[in-house]
Amino acid sequence: MQFTSKLTPFIWYQRGAEDAVAHYLKVFGPGKGRVLHTQRWGENSPGEAGTIMLQQVELLGLQFTAFNGGPHFKLTEAFSLAVACADQAEIDHLWEGLQAGGGREKACGWVEDAWGVSWQIIPAAWFDMINDPDPARVQRVFQAIWAMGKIDLAALQLAYDGA
């Protein structure tokens, strides 16, 4: 296994890292990701010999490691993955897909998957909106997003426009 980036997220799952990876690859669709390497636990190791210890994954161009580490640490919202979506259809697809199988909706465009990873499903346009030099526009955008669960891009645009 070799990292292609100097900085690579390492995500500790209590169990089922390989199931989470398979889920992400399914949700994001063909050509959007792949497993680069799978490492199994060996004899006399903390995990059951032969089971998957970790997978090195590439998803939307980002490499990360999914590690079956056991119950020692738990994922929290302190770490999240943000996805800049092109349109409402992509927001809807990822919002529903990532929480399928036991995840849950959260506020402000966040969703938690069944393994406890938090995702920010955000329209790419939001980044332009919050970088607008007009502080009133930026404030309206934040006020609107704070009232949302899943992001409604049209409503966000109306807030940005002051309508």
Side-chain angles (χ1 to χ4, degrees):
M1 173 174 70
Q2 181 166 348
F3 294 126
T4 59
S5 176
K6 191 171 184 104
L7 180 65
T8 304
F10 188 97
I11 305 173
W12 182 300
Y13 294 81
Q14 291 188 14
R15 67 184 179 288
E18 66 278 11
D19 296 329
V21 167
H23 181 71
Y24 305 154
L25 295 176
K26 179 181 174 190
V27 168
F28 284 93
K32 303 291 175 100
R34 62 194 172 119
V35 174
L36 302 171
H37 176 75
T38 298
Q39 181 68 44
R40 297 186 178 278
W41 290 104
E43 296 296 327
N44 301 315
S45 63
E48 182 182 338
T51 62
I52 292 178
M53 177 175 65
L54 63 79
Q55 288 187 314
Q56 184 67 25
V57 180
E58 182 180 300
L59 186 62
L60 300 177
L62 173 72
Q63 284 192 16
F64 68 93
T65 300
F67 176 67
N68 279 318
H72 310 292
F73 301 106
K74 295 183 180 183
L75 291 164
T76 72
E77 294 87 353
F79 173 83
S80 63
L81 296 169
V83 183
C85 299
D87 54 29
Q88 189 66 49
E90 186 177 17
I91 292 168
D92 294 347
H93 171 75
L94 294 178
W95 181 263
E96 296 303 321
L98 286 168
Q99 66 176 303
R104 63 188 177 109
E105 297 181 6
K106 298 182 133 188
C108 306
W110 290 49
V111 63
E112 184 178 294
D113 67 31
W115 297 269
V117 175
S118 292
W119 298 79
Q120 297 180 56
I121 308 305
I122 304 294
W126 179 77
F127 297 98
D128 292 331
M129 291 176 185
I130 65 167
N131 284 305
D132 191 290
D134 181 347
R137 287 182 120 177
V138 173
Q139 183 62 27
R140 287 193 307 266
V141 167
F142 275 109
Q143 290 296 322
I145 209 166
W146 289 332
M148 295 180 186
K150 177 176 68 173
I151 302 301
D152 178 337
L153 182 53
L156 203 59
Q157 186 67 52
L158 286 172
Y160 178 72
D161 294 337

